[in-house]
Coordinates of all heavy atoms in Angstrom, one line a residue:
M1229 N -48.5 138.6 -19.2 CA -47.4 137.7 -19.5 C -46.1 138.4 -19.4 O -46.0 139.6 -19.9 CB -47.7 137.1 -20.9 CG -46.8 135.9 -21.2 SD -47.2 135.1 -22.8 CE -48.8 134.4 -22.4
H1230 N -45.1 137.8 -18.9 CA -43.8 138.5 -18.7 C -42.7 137.7 -19.5 O -42.7 136.5 -19.5 CB -43.4 138.5 -17.2 CG -42.2 139.3 -16.9 ND1 -41.0 138.7 -16.8 CD2 -42.1 140.6 -16.8 CE1 -40.1 139.7 -16.6 NE2 -40.7 140.8 -16.5
F1231 N -41.9 138.5 -20.3 CA -40.8 137.9 -21.1 C -39.5 138.5 -20.7 O -39.5 139.7 -20.3 CB -41.0 138.3 -22.6 CG -42.3 137.7 -23.2 CD1 -43.5 138.5 -23.1 CD2 -42.3 136.5 -23.8 CE1 -44.6 138.0 -23.7 CE2 -43.5 136.0 -24.3 CZ -44.6 136.8 -24.3
Q1232 N -38.5 137.8 -20.8 CA -37.1 138.4 -20.7 C -36.6 138.4 -22.1 O -36.6 137.4 -22.8 CB -36.2 137.6 -19.8 CG -34.9 138.2 -19.7 CD -34.0 137.4 -18.7 OE1 -34.5 137.0 -17.7 NE2 -32.8 137.2 -19.0
L1233 N -36.1 139.6 -22.6 CA -35.7 139.7 -24.0 C -34.2 140.2 -23.9 O -33.9 141.2 -23.3 CB -36.5 140.8 -24.7 CG -36.0 141.2 -26.1 CD1 -36.1 140.0 -27.0 CD2 -36.9 142.4 -26.6
S1234 N -33.3 139.4 -24.5 CA -31.9 139.7 -24.6 C -31.7 140.1 -26.1 O -32.1 139.4 -27.0 CB -31.0 138.6 -24.3 OG -31.2 138.2 -22.9
V1235 N -31.0 141.3 -26.3 CA -30.8 141.8 -27.6 C -29.3 142.1 -27.7 O -28.7 142.7 -26.8 CB -31.5 143.1 -27.8 CG1 -31.3 143.6 -29.2 CG2 -33.0 142.9 -27.6
F1236 N -28.7 141.6 -28.8 CA -27.2 141.9 -29.0 C -26.9 141.9 -30.4 O -27.7 141.4 -31.3 CB -26.4 141.0 -28.1 CG -26.6 139.5 -28.5 CD1 -25.7 138.9 -29.4 CD2 -27.6 138.8 -27.9 CE1 -25.9 137.5 -29.7 CE2 -27.8 137.5 -28.2 CZ -27.0 136.8 -29.0
Y1237 N -25.7 142.4 -30.8 CA -25.2 142.5 -32.1 C -24.1 141.4 -32.3 O -23.3 141.2 -31.4 CB -24.7 143.8 -32.5 CG -25.7 144.9 -32.5 CD1 -25.7 145.9 -31.5 CD2 -26.7 144.9 -33.4 CE1 -26.6 146.9 -31.5 CE2 -27.7 145.9 -33.4 CZ -27.6 146.9 -32.5 OH -28.6 147.9 -32.5
Q1238 N -24.1 140.8 -33.5 CA -23.0 139.9 -33.8 C -22.7 140.2 -35.3 O -23.5 139.9 -36.2 CB -23.4 138.5 -33.6 CG -22.2 137.5 -33.9 CD -22.7 136.1 -33.5 OE1 -23.8 135.7 -33.8 NE2 -21.8 135.4 -32.8
G1239 N -21.6 140.9 -35.5 CA -21.3 141.3 -36.9 C -22.4 142.2 -37.4 O -22.7 143.2 -36.7
G1240 N -23.0 142.0 -38.5 CA -24.1 142.8 -39.0 C -25.5 142.4 -38.5 O -26.5 142.9 -39.0
L1241 N -25.6 141.3 -37.7 CA -26.9 140.8 -37.3 C -27.3 141.4 -36.0 O -26.5 141.5 -35.0 CB -26.8 139.3 -37.2 CG -26.5 138.5 -38.5 CD1 -26.4 137.0 -38.2 CD2 -27.6 138.8 -39.5
F1242 N -28.6 141.6 -35.9 CA -29.2 142.1 -34.7 C -30.0 140.9 -34.1 O -31.0 140.5 -34.7 CB -30.2 143.3 -35.1 CG -30.7 144.1 -34.0 CD1 -30.0 144.3 -32.8 CD2 -32.0 144.6 -34.1 CE1 -30.6 145.1 -31.8 CE2 -32.6 145.4 -33.1 CZ -31.8 145.6 -32.0
L1243 N -29.6 140.4 -33.0 CA -30.1 139.1 -32.5 C -31.0 139.3 -31.3 O -30.7 140.1 -30.4 CB -29.0 138.2 -32.1 CG -27.9 137.9 -33.2 CD1 -26.8 137.2 -32.7 CD2 -28.5 137.2 -34.4
Y1244 N -32.1 138.6 -31.2 CA -33.0 138.6 -30.1 C -33.1 137.2 -29.5 O -33.2 136.2 -30.2 CB -34.4 139.0 -30.5 CG -34.7 140.3 -31.1 CD1 -34.4 140.6 -32.4 CD2 -35.2 141.3 -30.3 CE1 -34.7 141.9 -32.9 CE2 -35.5 142.6 -30.8 CZ -35.2 142.8 -32.1 OH -35.5 144.1 -32.6
S1245 N -33.1 137.1 -28.2 CA -33.4 135.8 -27.5 C -34.5 136.2 -26.5 O -34.3 137.0 -25.6 CB -32.2 135.3 -26.8 OG -32.5 134.1 -26.1
I1246 N -35.7 135.6 -26.7 CA -36.8 135.9 -25.8 C -37.1 134.6 -25.0 O -37.3 133.5 -25.5 CB -38.1 136.2 -26.7 CG1 -37.8 137.4 -27.6 CG2 -39.3 136.4 -25.8 CD1 -38.8 137.6 -28.6
T1247 N -37.2 134.8 -23.6 CA -37.5 133.7 -22.7 C -38.8 134.1 -22.0 O -38.9 135.1 -21.4 CB -36.4 133.5 -21.7 OG1 -35.1 133.3 -22.4 CG2 -36.7 132.3 -20.8
S1248 N -39.8 133.2 -22.1 CA -41.1 133.4 -21.5 C -41.1 132.9 -20.0 O -40.1 132.3 -19.6 CB -42.2 132.7 -22.3 OG -42.0 131.3 -22.2
E1249 N -42.1 133.2 -19.3 CA -42.2 132.8 -17.9 C -42.1 131.3 -17.7 O -41.5 130.9 -16.7 CB -43.5 133.3 -17.3 CG -43.6 134.7 -16.9 CD -44.9 135.1 -16.3 OE1 -45.9 134.8 -16.9 OE2 -44.9 135.7 -15.2
D1250 N -42.5 130.6 -18.7 CA -42.4 129.1 -18.5 C -41.1 128.6 -19.1 O -40.9 127.4 -19.4 CB -43.6 128.4 -19.2 CG -43.7 128.7 -20.7 OD1 -42.8 129.4 -21.3 OD2 -44.6 128.1 -21.4
K1251 N -40.1 129.5 -19.3 CA -38.7 129.2 -19.7 C -38.6 128.7 -21.1 O -37.6 128.1 -21.5 CB -38.1 128.2 -18.7 CG -38.1 128.6 -17.3 CD -37.4 129.9 -17.0 CE -37.4 130.2 -15.5 NZ -37.2 131.6 -15.2
Q1252 N -39.6 129.0 -21.9 CA -39.5 128.7 -23.3 C -38.7 129.8 -24.0 O -39.0 131.0 -23.8 CB -40.9 128.5 -23.9 CG -40.9 127.9 -25.3 CD -42.3 127.6 -25.8 OE1 -43.3 128.0 -25.2 NE2 -42.4 127.0 -26.9
T1253 N -37.8 129.4 -24.9 CA -36.9 130.4 -25.5 C -37.2 130.5 -27.0 O -37.2 129.5 -27.6 CB -35.4 130.1 -25.2 OG1 -35.2 130.2 -23.8 CG2 -34.5 131.2 -25.9
F1254 N -37.2 131.7 -27.5 CA -37.4 132.0 -29.0 C -36.2 132.8 -29.4 O -35.9 133.8 -28.7 CB -38.7 132.7 -29.2 CG -39.9 131.9 -28.8 CD1 -40.4 132.1 -27.5 CD2 -40.6 131.1 -29.7 CE1 -41.5 131.4 -27.0 CE2 -41.7 130.4 -29.2 CZ -42.2 130.5 -27.9
Q1255 N -35.7 132.6 -30.5 CA -34.6 133.4 -31.0 C -34.9 133.9 -32.4 O -35.4 133.2 -33.2 CB -33.3 132.6 -31.1 CG -32.8 132.2 -29.7 CD -31.5 131.4 -29.6 OE1 -31.1 130.9 -30.6 NE2 -30.9 131.4 -28.5
F1256 N -34.6 135.2 -32.6 CA -34.8 135.8 -33.9 C -33.6 136.6 -34.3 O -32.8 137.0 -33.4 CB -36.0 136.8 -33.8 CG -37.3 136.2 -33.4 CD1 -37.6 136.0 -32.1 CD2 -38.1 135.7 -34.4 CE1 -38.8 135.4 -31.8 CE2 -39.3 135.1 -34.1 CZ -39.7 135.0 -32.7
Q1257 N -33.4 136.9 -35.6 CA -32.4 137.8 -36.0 C -32.8 138.7 -37.1 O -33.7 138.2 -37.9 CB -31.1 137.1 -36.3 CG -31.2 136.2 -37.6 CD -30.0 135.4 -37.8 OE1 -29.2 135.1 -36.9 NE2 -29.8 135.0 -39.0
L1258 N -32.4 139.9 -37.1 CA -32.6 140.8 -38.3 C -31.3 140.8 -39.1 O -30.2 140.6 -38.6 CB -32.9 142.2 -37.8 CG -34.1 142.4 -36.9 CD1 -34.2 143.8 -36.4 CD2 -35.4 141.9 -37.6
K1259 N -31.5 141.0 -40.4 CA -30.3 140.8 -41.3 C -29.2 141.9 -41.1 O -28.1 141.6 -41.4 CB -30.8 140.8 -42.8 CG -31.6 139.5 -43.1 CD -31.9 139.4 -44.5 CE -32.7 138.1 -44.7 NZ -33.2 137.9 -46.0
S1260 N -29.6 143.0 -40.6 CA -28.5 144.0 -40.4 C -28.9 144.9 -39.2 O -30.0 145.2 -38.9 CB -28.4 144.9 -41.6 OG -29.5 145.6 -41.9
A1261 N -27.9 145.2 -38.4 CA -28.0 146.0 -37.3 C -28.2 147.5 -37.7 O -27.7 147.9 -38.7 CB -26.8 145.9 -36.4
P1262 N -29.0 148.3 -37.0 CA -29.1 149.7 -37.3 C -27.8 150.4 -37.2 O -27.0 150.1 -36.3 CB -30.1 150.2 -36.3 CG -30.8 149.0 -35.7 CD -29.8 147.9 -35.9
P1263 N -27.4 151.2 -38.1 CA -26.1 151.9 -38.1 C -26.0 152.7 -36.8 O -26.9 153.4 -36.5 CB -26.1 152.7 -39.4 CG -27.5 152.9 -39.7 CD -28.3 151.7 -39.2
D1264 N -24.8 152.7 -36.2 CA -24.5 153.5 -35.1 C -25.5 153.4 -33.9 O -25.7 154.3 -33.2 CB -24.3 155.0 -35.5 CG -23.3 155.1 -36.6 OD1 -22.3 154.4 -36.5 OD2 -23.5 156.0 -37.5
K1265 N -26.1 152.2 -33.8 CA -27.0 152.0 -32.6 C -26.5 150.9 -31.8 O -25.9 149.9 -32.2 CB -28.4 151.6 -33.2 CG -29.1 152.7 -33.9 CD -29.9 153.6 -33.0 CE -30.7 154.6 -33.8 NZ -31.7 155.3 -33.1
E1266 N -26.8 151.0 -30.5 CA -26.5 149.9 -29.6 C -27.8 149.6 -28.8 O -28.6 150.4 -28.5 CB -25.4 150.3 -28.6 CG -24.0 150.4 -29.2 CD -22.9 150.6 -28.2 OE1 -23.2 150.3 -27.0 OE2 -21.9 151.0 -28.6
A1267 N -27.9 148.3 -28.5 CA -29.1 147.9 -27.7 C -28.5 147.3 -26.4 O -27.4 146.8 -26.3 CB -29.8 146.8 -28.4
P1268 N -29.3 147.5 -25.3 CA -28.8 146.9 -24.1 C -28.7 145.4 -24.2 O -29.5 144.8 -24.9 CB -29.9 147.3 -23.1 CG -31.1 147.5 -23.9 CD -30.6 148.0 -25.2
Q1269 N -27.8 144.8 -23.4 CA -27.7 143.3 -23.4 C -29.0 142.6 -23.0 O -29.4 141.6 -23.5 CB -26.6 142.9 -22.5 CG -25.2 143.1 -23.1 CD -24.9 142.3 -24.4 OE1 -25.3 141.1 -24.4 NE2 -24.3 142.8 -25.4
Q1270 N -29.7 143.3 -22.0 CA -30.9 142.7 -21.5 C -31.9 143.7 -21.0 O -31.4 144.7 -20.4 CB -30.5 141.7 -20.4 CG -31.6 140.9 -19.8 CD -31.1 139.9 -18.8 OE1 -30.3 139.1 -19.2 NE2 -31.6 139.9 -17.6
F1271 N -33.1 143.5 -21.2 CA -34.1 144.4 -20.6 C -35.4 143.6 -20.5 O -35.6 142.6 -21.1 CB -34.3 145.7 -21.3 CG -34.7 145.6 -22.8 CD1 -36.0 145.6 -23.1 CD2 -33.7 145.5 -23.7 CE1 -36.4 145.5 -24.5 CE2 -34.1 145.4 -25.1 CZ -35.4 145.4 -25.4
N1272 N -36.4 144.1 -19.7 CA -37.7 143.4 -19.6 C -38.8 144.2 -20.2 O -38.8 145.4 -20.2 CB -38.0 143.2 -18.1 CG -37.0 142.2 -17.4 OD1 -36.8 141.1 -17.9 ND2 -36.4 142.6 -16.3
V1273 N -39.7 143.4 -20.7 CA -41.0 144.0 -21.3 C -42.1 143.3 -20.7 O -42.2 142.0 -20.7 CB -41.0 143.7 -22.9 CG1 -42.3 144.3 -23.4 CG2 -39.8 144.3 -23.5
L1274 N -43.1 144.1 -20.1 CA -44.3 143.5 -19.5 C -45.4 143.7 -20.6 O -45.6 144.7 -21.2 CB -44.6 144.3 -18.3 CG -45.7 143.7 -17.4 CD1 -45.4 142.3 -16.9 CD2 -46.0 144.6 -16.2
H1275 N -46.2 142.6 -20.7 CA -47.3 142.6 -21.7 C -48.5 142.2 -20.9 O -49.0 141.1 -21.0 CB -47.0 141.6 -22.8 CG -48.0 141.6 -23.9 ND1 -48.6 142.7 -24.4 CD2 -48.5 140.5 -24.5 CE1 -49.5 142.2 -25.4 NE2 -49.5 140.9 -25.4
P1276 N -49.1 143.1 -20.0 CA -50.2 142.7 -19.1 C -51.5 142.4 -19.8 O -52.3 141.7 -19.3 CB -50.3 143.9 -18.2 CG -49.7 145.0 -18.9 CD -48.7 144.5 -19.9
E1277 N -51.7 143.1 -21.0 CA -53.0 142.8 -21.7 C -52.8 143.2 -23.2 O -51.7 143.7 -23.5 CB -54.1 143.7 -21.1 CG -53.8 145.2 -21.1 CD -54.8 146.0 -20.4 OE1 -54.8 146.0 -19.1 OE2 -55.7 146.6 -21.1
K1278 N -53.7 142.8 -24.0 CA -53.6 143.0 -25.4 C -53.3 144.5 -25.7 O -53.9 145.4 -25.2 CB -54.9 142.6 -26.1 CG -54.9 142.6 -27.6 CD -56.2 142.1 -28.2 CE -56.1 142.1 -29.7 NZ -57.2 141.5 -30.3
N1279 N -52.3 144.7 -26.6 CA -51.9 146.0 -27.1 C -51.3 146.9 -26.0 O -51.2 148.1 -26.2 CB -53.0 146.7 -27.8 CG -53.5 146.0 -29.0 OD1 -52.7 145.4 -29.8 ND2 -54.8 146.0 -29.3
V1280 N -50.8 146.3 -24.9 CA -50.1 147.0 -23.9 C -48.8 146.4 -23.7 O -48.6 145.2 -23.4 CB -50.9 147.0 -22.5 CG1 -50.1 147.7 -21.4 CG2 -52.3 147.6 -22.7
W1281 N -47.7 147.2 -23.9 CA -46.3 146.8 -23.8 C -45.6 147.8 -22.9 O -45.6 149.0 -23.2 CB -45.7 146.7 -25.2 CG -46.4 145.8 -26.1 CD1 -47.4 146.1 -26.9 CD2 -46.1 144.4 -26.3 NE1 -47.8 145.0 -27.6 CE2 -47.1 144.0 -27.3 CE3 -45.2 143.5 -25.8 CZ2 -47.1 142.7 -27.7 CZ3 -45.3 142.2 -26.2 CH2 -46.2 141.8 -27.2
Q1282 N -45.0 147.3 -21.8 CA -44.3 148.2 -20.9 C -42.9 147.8 -20.8 O -42.5 146.6 -20.5 CB -45.0 148.1 -19.5 CG -46.4 148.6 -19.5 CD -47.1 148.2 -18.2 OE1 -46.7 147.4 -17.4 NE2 -48.3 148.8 -18.0
F1283 N -42.0 148.7 -21.1 CA -40.5 148.5 -21.1 C -40.0 149.0 -19.7 O -40.4 150.0 -19.2 CB -39.8 149.2 -22.2 CG -40.2 148.6 -23.6 CD1 -41.4 148.8 -24.1 CD2 -39.2 147.9 -24.3 CE1 -41.7 148.3 -25.4 CE2 -39.5 147.4 -25.5 CZ -40.7 147.6 -26.1
D1284 N -39.0 148.2 -19.2 CA -38.4 148.7 -17.9 C -37.3 149.7 -18.1 O -36.7 150.1 -17.1 CB -37.9 147.5 -17.1 CG -36.7 146.8 -17.7 OD1 -36.3 147.1 -18.8 OD2 -36.1 146.0 -16.9
Q1285 N -37.0 150.1 -19.3 CA -36.0 151.1 -19.6 C -36.6 152.0 -20.7 O -37.5 151.6 -21.5 CB -34.7 150.5 -20.2 CG -34.0 149.6 -19.2 CD -32.7 149.0 -19.7 OE1 -32.0 149.7 -20.5 NE2 -32.5 147.8 -19.4
E1286 N -36.1 153.2 -20.8 CA -36.5 154.1 -21.9 C -35.8 153.9 -23.2 O -34.5 153.7 -23.2 CB -36.3 155.6 -21.5 CG -37.2 156.1 -20.4 CD -38.7 156.1 -20.8 OE1 -39.0 156.4 -21.9 OE2 -39.5 155.6 -20.0
F1287 N -36.5 153.8 -24.3 CA -35.9 153.6 -25.6 C -36.6 154.5 -26.6 O -37.7 154.9 -26.3 CB -36.1 152.1 -26.1 CG -35.5 151.1 -25.2 CD1 -36.3 150.3 -24.4 CD2 -34.1 151.0 -25.1 CE1 -35.7 149.3 -23.6 CE2 -33.6 150.0 -24.2 CZ -34.4 149.2 -23.5
D1288 N -36.0 154.7 -27.7 CA -36.7 155.5 -28.7 C -37.8 154.7 -29.3 O -37.8 153.5 -29.3 CB -35.7 156.1 -29.8 CG -35.2 155.0 -30.8 OD1 -35.9 154.0 -31.1 OD2 -34.1 155.2 -31.3
E1289 N -38.8 155.4 -29.8 CA -40.1 154.7 -30.3 C -39.8 153.7 -31.4 O -40.4 152.6 -31.4 CB -41.1 155.7 -30.7 CG -41.7 156.5 -29.5 CD -42.3 155.6 -28.5 OE1 -43.1 154.7 -28.9 OE2 -42.1 155.8 -27.3
N1290 N -38.9 154.0 -32.3 CA -38.6 153.1 -33.4 C -38.1 151.8 -32.9 O -38.5 150.7 -33.3 CB -37.6 153.7 -34.4 CG -37.4 152.9 -35.6 OD1 -38.4 152.5 -36.2 ND2 -36.2 152.7 -36.0
F1291 N -37.2 151.8 -31.9 CA -36.6 150.6 -31.3 C -37.7 149.8 -30.6 O -37.8 148.6 -30.8 CB -35.5 151.0 -30.3 CG -34.9 149.7 -29.6 CD1 -34.0 149.0 -30.3 CD2 -35.3 149.4 -28.4 CE1 -33.4 147.8 -29.7 CE2 -34.7 148.3 -27.8 CZ -33.8 147.5 -28.4
K1292 N -38.6 150.5 -29.8 CA -39.7 149.8 -29.2 C -40.6 149.1 -30.2 O -41.0 148.0 -29.9 CB -40.5 150.8 -28.3 CG -39.7 151.2 -27.0 CD -40.6 151.6 -25.9 CE -41.0 153.0 -25.9 NZ -41.6 153.5 -24.8
E1293 N -40.9 149.8 -31.2 CA -41.8 149.2 -32.3 C -41.2 148.0 -32.9 O -41.9 147.0 -33.1 CB -42.1 150.3 -33.3 CG -43.1 151.4 -32.9 CD -43.2 152.5 -33.9 OE1 -42.8 152.3 -35.0 OE2 -43.8 153.5 -33.5
N1294 N -39.9 148.0 -33.1 CA -39.2 146.8 -33.7 C -39.3 145.7 -32.7 O -39.5 144.5 -33.1 CB -37.8 147.2 -34.1 CG -37.7 148.0 -35.3 OD1 -38.6 148.0 -36.1 ND2 -36.7 148.8 -35.4
V1295 N -39.0 146.0 -31.4 CA -39.1 144.9 -30.4 C -40.5 144.3 -30.3 O -40.6 143.1 -30.3 CB -38.6 145.5 -29.0 CG1 -38.9 144.5 -27.9 CG2 -37.1 145.8 -29.0
I1296 N -41.5 145.2 -30.3 CA -42.9 144.7 -30.2 C -43.2 143.8 -31.4 O -43.8 142.8 -31.3 CB -43.8 145.9 -30.0 CG1 -43.7 146.5 -28.6 CG2 -45.3 145.4 -30.2 CD1 -44.3 147.8 -28.4
R1297 N -42.8 144.3 -32.6 CA -43.0 143.5 -33.8 C -42.4 142.1 -33.7 O -43.0 141.1 -34.0 CB -42.5 144.2 -35.0 CG -42.8 143.5 -36.3 CD -42.4 144.2 -37.6 NE -40.9 144.3 -37.6 CZ -40.2 145.4 -37.6 NH1 -40.7 146.5 -37.6 NH2 -38.9 145.3 -37.7
V1298 N -41.2 142.0 -33.1 CA -40.6 140.7 -32.9 C -41.3 139.9 -31.9 O -41.5 138.7 -32.1 CB -39.1 140.9 -32.5 CG1 -38.5 139.6 -32.1 CG2 -38.3 141.5 -33.7
M1299 N -41.7 140.5 -30.8 CA -42.5 139.8 -29.8 C -43.8 139.2 -30.3 O -44.1 138.1 -30.0 CB -42.8 140.8 -28.6 CG -41.6 141.4 -27.9 SD -40.8 140.2 -26.8 CE -41.9 140.3 -25.5
K1300 N -44.4 140.0 -31.2 CA -45.7 139.5 -31.8 C -45.5 138.3 -32.6 O -46.4 137.4 -32.8 CB -46.4 140.6 -32.5 CG -47.0 141.7 -31.6 CD -47.7 142.7 -32.4 CE -48.3 143.8 -31.5 NZ -49.0 144.8 -32.3
R1301 N -44.3 138.2 -33.2 CA -44.0 137.0 -34.1 C -44.0 135.7 -33.3 O -44.2 134.6 -33.8 CB -42.6 137.1 -34.7 CG -42.5 138.0 -35.9 CD -41.2 137.6 -36.6 NE -40.6 138.8 -37.0 CZ -39.3 138.9 -37.4 NH1 -38.5 137.8 -37.3 NH2 -38.8 140.0 -37.8
T1302 N -43.8 135.8 -32.0 CA -43.7 134.6 -31.1 C -45.1 134.0 -31.0 O -45.3 132.8 -30.6 CB -43.2 134.8 -29.7 OG1 -44.0 135.7 -29.0 CG2 -41.8 135.4 -29.8
K1303 N -46.2 134.8 -31.1 CA -47.6 134.4 -31.0 C -47.8 133.8 -29.6 O -48.6 132.9 -29.4 CB -48.0 133.5 -32.1 CG -47.9 134.0 -33.5 CD -48.5 133.1 -34.5 CE -48.2 133.5 -35.9 NZ -48.6 134.8 -36.4
L1304 N -47.2 134.4 -28.6 CA -47.4 133.9 -27.2 C -48.6 134.7 -26.6 O -48.7 135.8 -26.8 CB -46.2 134.1 -26.4 CG -45.0 133.2 -26.8 CD1 -43.8 133.5 -26.0 CD2 -45.4 131.7 -26.6

């Protein structure tokens, strides 16, 4: 399954917008952005099978874990 995930900051909020292949969009926000961190405006995550997540860019492990946790919330 392929998702497009957009991540951005607005004030102290860390916002996610996830669009699935069938164009369904999910939006999430965290209450505060990590201090002194920036996220790319957009990147892709491939989820070809259970417990396999492939990012099209390199990120630190903490960031990837947070993204995967949010993705799992969609229950797609």
Side-chain angles (χ1 to χ4, degrees):
M1229 190 174 290
H1230 189 262
F1231 299 89
Q1232 180 175 323
L1233 172 65
S1234 297
V1235 182
F1236 57 96
Y1237 295 114
Q1238 183 175 44
L1241 295 177
F1242 192 35
L1243 307 172
Y1244 294 82
S1245 178
I1246 301 169
T1247 305
S1248 63
E1249 281 182 311
D1250 63 359
K1251 305 298 183 204
Q1252 191 171 7
T1253 300
F1254 300 86
Q1255 295 182 340
F1256 298 91
Q1257 64 185 25
L1258 300 178
K1259 292 185 179 177
S1260 62
D1264 303 322
K1265 293 271 187 171
E1266 288 188 18
Q1269 285 292 321
Q1270 183 172 304
F1271 58 93
N1272 291 310
V1273 180
L1274 187 62
H1275 182 45
E1277 59 188 78
K1278 187 176 182 173
N1279 298 322
V1280 176
W1281 302 88
Q1282 299 168 345
F1283 289 73
D1284 72 346
Q1285 298 179 37
E1286 288 298 318
F1287 300 110
D1288 71 30
E1289 288 303 313
N1290 189 46
F1291 180 78
K1292 287 203 275 189
E1293 288 172 11
N1294 287 334
V1295 169
I1296 291 168
R1297 186 175 68 241
V1298 170
M1299 299 284 282
K1300 286 180 177 179
R1301 279 198 224 164
T1302 66
K1303 298 187 190 303
L1304 292 175

